[in-house]
Amino acid sequence: MIRVAICDDNKVFVNNMSQAVKSEFKRQNNEDIELETYISSELMYQHHLIKPFDLVFLDIDMPEPDGFQLAAKISSSNDCYIIFVTNHPELVYDSLYFRPLNFITKSNDSFFTEKLHSVVNQLFNEMKQYAIIILINALYLQRNSSDFFIFQNN
């Protein structure tokens, strides 16, 4: 099961976003997710350290630590996809430093829904790269392009 966190200091947005995310995962892959929501970035990070998330939807403009500071902490702790969700499209280039999976501008229109659909689709495509490939007499486990393991069958 995919562990997902939504972290934003706007409680109303968090509630709306959680419904949209659950619905999109269900629609695209009939996938139930373990979803946790946070209005405190520090609390979200503490829970991430205990039981890491696979994906975090992260606002940028929040009280300390802000989204960029939190992204730096998360990316140094383990493999976790980060998707920035913010009212500040001018920060898209600054966000690239943290190598997010994507960037979504907050809105209440169909653009937001279409972008969420596209991002979840992108996530599933990324996760397919972590596939097990079985070849004749060898099992190759590829986690990402820099990790390549070979298990020989003797």
Side-chain angles (χ1 to χ4, degrees):
M1 183 174 289
I2 299 171
R3 282 186 39 79
V4 179
I6 298 171
C7 187
D8 192 301
D9 58 335
N10 180 328
K11 195 175 210 173
V12 173
F13 180 79
V14 167
N15 291 336
N16 293 337
M17 180 76 178
S18 67
Q19 292 304 312
V21 167
K22 284 182 207 173
S23 175
E24 190 58 42
F25 271 87
K26 195 74 162 167
R27 186 168 78 86
Q28 280 201 39
N29 207 33
N30 201 23
E31 179 91 27
D32 284 326
I33 58 174
E34 184 179 335
L35 178 66
E36 295 183 25
T37 60
Y38 299 89
I39 56 172
S40 163
S41 54
E42 188 58 42
L43 181 60
M44 192 236 85
Y45 181 64
Q46 293 305 319
H47 287 187
H48 175 72
L49 290 176
I50 295 166
K51 189 174 178 186
F53 295 103
D54 301 305
L55 170 66
V56 176
F57 289 93
L58 185 58
D59 186 19
I60 296 172
D61 187 15
M62 295 188 292
E64 296 286 325
D66 67 24
F68 286 159
Q69 293 167 327
L70 186 55
K73 288 179 174 184
I74 291 170
S75 59
S76 69
S77 66
N78 74 340
D79 292 332
C80 177
Y81 294 103
I82 296 172
I83 298 169
F84 288 112
V85 183
T86 186
N87 282 321
H88 299 282
E90 71 276 7
L91 296 176
V92 67
Y93 295 112
D94 294 335
S95 77
L96 296 177
Y97 176 79
F98 304 98
R99 304 186 74 192
L101 180 65
N102 215 309
F103 187 100
I104 302 175
T105 303
K106 290 181 186 176
S107 65
N108 289 325
D109 57 14
S110 62
F111 176 77
F112 180 83
T113 305
E114 290 170 16
K115 185 67 174 177
L116 181 60
H117 172 78
S118 172
V119 166
V120 171
N121 187 50
Q122 180 185 8
L123 173 70
F124 284 128
N125 288 334
E126 286 284 323
M127 293 176 83
K128 287 177 187 173
Q129 292 182 11
Y130 297 115
I132 296 174
I133 304 166
I134 299 175
L135 300 175
I136 299 173
N137 292 330
L139 173 68
Y140 292 84
L141 174 64
Q142 185 178 2
R143 228 173 95 66
N144 61 40
S145 58
S146 64
D147 297 334
F148 205 69
F149 305 97
I150 300 175
F151 300 95
Q152 288 294 98
N153 183 6
N154 294 327

